[in-house]
Amino acid sequence: QVRLVESGGGSVQAGGSLRLSCAASGYTYSSSCMGWFRQAPGKGREGVARLYTGGGGSTYYADSVKGRFTISQDNAKNTLYLQMNSLNPEDTAMYYCAAGCAGGYGLDAEYNYWGQGTQVTVSS
């Protein structure tokens, strides 16, 4: 019943910015666990960012994006965001959002729901 749909991907020049959105459809209870992943051609899936709202809240970022990407949410809109600044060609990948606590913690945590992905292409 729950579906996650990513949007906001596209083609940009190096140094540019994009904001990805992940909209949840269907009735769901609020989730404390949300994340973004990416997969480049010929490479495995990489955890990019995680937002955990339990306790005081925590964010986690891959070293490769720390300081450039920001994960956030809008509860009223049931939407998760990934603001990406200072993009470089190494950021080119299919980006996926995920939600629903399914075990683990940090960037390697598991999720119950996954989106279909949105393509991000960064040219030199």
Side-chain angles (χ1 to χ4, degrees):
Q1 186 64 215
V2 175
R3 294 187 68 241
L4 303 178
V5 180
E6 300 94 337
S7 62
S11 298
V12 298
Q13 295 185 53
S17 298
L18 286 173
R19 187 174 77 160
L20 305 184
S21 298
C22 174
S25 62
Y27 178 80
T28 62
Y29 296 106
S30 62
S31 175
S32 297
C33 305
M34 294 151 281
W36 286 95
F37 295 78
R38 67 186 182 186
Q39 186 165 20
K43 296 188 176 182
R45 188 170 61 191
E46 173 190 20
V48 173
R50 174 177 169 85
L51 174 61
Y52 176 67
T53 61
S58 301
T59 56
Y60 306 84
Y61 295 96
D63 289 341
S64 59
V65 308
K66 199 175 188 66
R68 301 187 296 120
F69 291 12
T70 303
I71 187 171
S72 63
Q73 67 171 341
D74 185 334
N75 288 139
K77 295 184 178 297
N78 245 9
T79 301
L80 179 71
Y81 301 100
L82 184 68
Q83 178 66 48
M84 306 186 296
N85 298 326
S86 301
L87 287 163
N88 59 63
E90 288 68 47
D91 296 315
T92 295
M94 185 73 73
Y95 283 72
Y96 303 88
C97 66
C101 310
Y105 56 90
L107 294 177
D108 294 325
E110 300 174 9
Y111 297 87
N112 287 318
Y113 308 106
W114 291 82
Q116 294 294 100
T118 185
Q119 179 68 41
V120 171
T121 302
V122 184
S123 60
S124 300

